[in-house]
Amino acid sequence: MDLKHIRNFSIIAHIDHGKSTLADRMLEITHTIETRKMREQVLDVMELERERGITIKMQPVRMEHVLDEQKYILNLIDTPGHVDFSYEVSRALKAVEGSILLIDSTQGVQAQTLTTLAMAQQGGKEGHKKIIPVLSKIDSPLARIPEIKEEVVKLLGCNPDEILLVSGRTGEGVEHLLQEIIKRIPAPAHDYTGDNNLRALVFDFKYSNHRGVIVFVRVLDGKVKKGESLIFSVSNEKFTALEVGTFSPEETAREYLSAGDIGYIVTGIKKPGIASVGDTITKLAHPLPALPGYMQPMPVVWASLFPENADDFSELKLALGKLRLSDSSFSYEEESSGSLGRGFRLGFLGMLHLEIITERLKREFDLSLIITTPSIIYEVVNNHDKREKIYSPYFFPDDGNIKMVFEPWVTAKIITPAKYLGNIMQILFDHEAEVGETENFGDNRSALSVKMPLRELMRNFFDELKSTSSGYGSISYTLAEMREANVTRLDILVADEAVPAFSKVVSKKRVEEEAENSVVKLEGLLPRQMFTLKIQGRALGRIISSRTLSGMKKDVTQHMYGGDITRKMKLREKQKKGKKKMKERGRVNIPQNVFLKMMRSGNN
Ligand SMILES: Nc1nc2c(ncn2[C@@H]2O[C@H](COP(=O)(O)OP(=O)(O)O)[C@@H](O)[C@H]2O)c(=O)[nH]1
Ligand SMILES: [Mg+2]
């Protein structure tokens, strides 16, 4: 296809503003997906995405549309809206010439609207990334079209007539939007001509057991065909294109991909760590300079994973390698701890990201894992003036050996209806925030600029903001400077022994409350044991919270009615073994779901 007749664009927005639903209607109108195969948010293909009703991974899809008797190729990339997945958005933006900035006409501009817009405005070749403002959900009785239009005009400095109106639910305005995409978004341009001058930007990838790594590419220059010898510019790895194709949205093989296209290349590479997002693919016989890649994402929260059974270490390593091939935004590094053995320290882009990754490890790889309480990074200066980064609370030194501690702060923007400001100020105060400017933001809404410790943001701030603002407040944040912190390590003891996975670093001011919360939560989660045991919180050199979990005397087979005697024997055998293990290790066996539940904030 001639470059003139290709348009590449993404849909960006705050979470739940209707991106995936709008994409559904586009797929229908362009007959990309047969009506009988259509389902809601069809581009959310992952099981977890469908269960939670959110988009986690970006999803490209190729559509065809006719305008004035000319056929156009429209490559759309649907993106996630949650702040933890902004890295997906930033990568998608590099593969396209323009974006639809979708704003929910019942909600108005939200925090992530601003963040994604900022990303779209700074991205783009020669900075000519086009933004089309679109109001969504105009069918809703709650839509406030004139007011929200005004907000958008203020935000973009655009003409009100440039703002389009759509409903993903009824399909109203979608056909017109497709036409406007063709008119307003520039056709792709290229630097080199000639089929051999291939440059393809890797913006994502996935892994298939049979076909190895499948890279998602935006072809900038040249042409690529099945069977050709290619090379990754940065990792310098050679491979043969086993197949090339486009997304419909499932992979559909094609004869070739050429400049302007968005598609995939099957590499056959099975080793992890070779393909990376931001790398450039060129022809082996005709290498070209690499395209500017992507910035490494900055993890904000860390947690360590240990196999429950030490023999599973290599299996866990393999699993992480594979998972990394479908999510390039988490990092992992080997770590060992005296009592937990060998494991990995993982870096995540937020708590939701952490939850998704641990959930996927459990589901997709069936591993039994011990997961430590998530923590942010601290920099500790010890009594010998050595400055050290601490990722895991159980490595956080005792108070006696600390001279100073530093922790990351964030700059955040909160958008809320003005009537909730008072309550929000209260939780901001409670979370040690410094409140900066307040801007009036259209129809009785305010935008607050604040700074707060990342530690406090991670202490359930998102949920508290949601509940104090009846769901209307939204927040986006970026990491800022390191500042001195007044924190200490809190250990949780079970049967007089500290469980490293439950240690956390907390504000000294809140240590009692935190200890009590953890101890009570654990008391509620830990299954009763054969014997009475103590659950305690210890910090600043003393026990500050304590509960006793009474024991039970019970035959483990008691709950089975009659039944299979060999199963009963097995259970008794297991119980014996279990007891032996407890004695050996001198501690209580803690089931995996207890770690998972302790890890999550709140009381779920
Ligand atoms: N009334 C109405 N609801 C919509 C419309 N589009 C999406 N929704 C609803 O808004 C929610 C979020 O939609 P989704 O497409 O998943 O949003 P995304 O997070 O931006 O991808 C879902 O409950 C949709 O049913 C629309 O045009 N009208
Ligand atoms: Mg979505």
Side-chain angles (χ1 to χ4, degrees), residues 49 65 200 272 335 351 424 464 494 500 536 604:
E49 293 183 310
H65 196 58
E335 180 182 88
M351 289 300 289
I424 291 178
E464 285 181 32
V494 174
Q536 296 163 308
N604 52 347

Side-chain angles (χ1 to χ4, degrees), residues 14-21 23 41 43-44 49 53-57 78-81:
H14 191 77
I15 193 162
D16 274 351
H17 279 202
K19 295 177 290 296
S20 302
T21 308
Q41 288 106 30
L43 294 183
D44 290 341
E49 293 183 310
I54 54 166
T55 308
I56 295 168
K57 266 189 86 70
D78 184 24
T79 64

